Amino acid sequence: MHIEQLWLETETKLRQYLYKQVKDHSVVDDLLQNSFLKMQANIHQLKDIDKAGGWLFQITRSTLMDHFRKEKNLQKNNKILPIMDQASTSNETHEALAYWLKGALDLLPEPYREAVYLSEIKGMSQKELAKHLGISYSGAKSRVQRGKVKLKEIVLDCCEVAADRYGNVMEIKKR
């Protein structure tokens, strides 16, 4: 069976399924296109041609779940984008980034929020942090490191950050 034939046999059913989930024809079209591209890229994994319809449905369902995850992240990031709008990023990039990061910090789950805030904003040493939180020194280091990684994910989900070769932020723009 050719890819085109497989697609034509299942496209209508997949379109109906997706429309029930998202109720937006343009989003359905995008999701179907992404599903088709994934099908083309992974057709070599299909072992049994009789199960092609189910296989393609799974790809489409996975694409839909990715869409919902992305939408959830955009909604979360939309809470902090107005904060970024208030900050000028022209000549004051570092100040703007610092201002905006304070708002982004609120999106970190506890206990990372407190650990990153106390160590990076308030300047508390990690030994002091460990004592303050009543955890081990290695636990405090780990918590701060994980918090920084999560904060970076929040920033990169909604913004493009340009840095020089030393890692210094040169520009930040909303996606």
Side-chain angles (χ1 to χ4, degrees):
M1 178 182 292
H2 292 283
I3 290 177
E4 293 83 13
Q5 183 181 353
L6 171 61
W7 183 255
L8 291 173
E9 289 176 4
T10 57
E11 179 189 8
T12 302
K13 292 177 187 175
L14 294 174
R15 183 177 295 281
Q16 291 169 345
Y17 164 73
L18 289 171
Y19 189 75
K20 286 179 187 177
Q21 304 298 318
V22 296
K23 307 265 190 274
D24 183 331
H25 289 291
S26 62
V27 173
V28 169
D29 290 341
D30 289 344
L31 293 172
L32 279 173
Q33 181 179 9
N34 289 341
S35 297
F36 181 71
L37 292 172
K38 288 179 183 178
M39 179 188 71
Q40 283 182 313
N42 296 298
I43 193 73
H44 64 279
Q45 295 178 353
L46 181 61
K47 305 283 188 244
D48 185 355
I49 197 70
D50 294 330
K51 297 181 181 180
W55 176 74
L56 188 51
F57 179 81
Q58 282 301 110
I59 290 174
T60 303
R61 188 175 153 277
S62 173
T63 303
L64 178 63
M65 293 300 110
D66 290 344
H67 167 75
F68 285 146
R69 270 188 228 98
K70 183 178 178 183
E71 284 295 309
K72 183 179 176 184
N73 284 337
L74 285 175
Q75 288 173 0
K76 177 177 76 174
N77 290 333
N78 283 338
K79 293 177 185 176
I80 58 173
L81 288 178
I83 295 167
M84 188 179 169
D85 285 338
Q86 295 171 12
S88 166
T89 58
S90 56
N91 295 329
E92 304 149 346
T93 302
H94 296 288
E95 292 83 5
L97 181 59
Y99 176 80
W100 179 75
L101 278 175
K102 288 179 184 175
L105 201 61
D106 290 338
L107 294 175
L108 277 178
E110 280 298 342
Y112 305 114
R113 181 182 322 131
E114 183 179 19
V116 171
Y117 177 77
L118 291 174
S119 68
E120 300 301 315
I121 305 295
K122 290 294 187 179
M124 187 179 282
S125 75
Q126 292 183 355
K127 285 184 180 181
E128 293 170 325
L129 179 66
K131 186 176 181 179
H132 176 79
L133 297 175
I135 59 176
S136 68
Y137 173 65
S138 65
K141 285 174 49 175
S142 186
R143 195 172 287 182
V144 170
Q145 185 61 35
R146 287 185 186 135
K148 286 180 179 180
V149 168
K150 290 182 179 298
L151 188 60
K152 182 178 179 181
E153 289 170 0
I154 290 170
V155 170
L156 294 179
D157 276 350
C158 72
C159 301
E160 292 179 34
V161 179
D164 65 15
R165 63 183 176 164
Y166 303 107
N168 298 315
V169 175
M170 302 304 292
E171 183 179 12
I172 183 167
K173 294 189 291 189
K174 291 188 295 185
R175 287 192 191 273

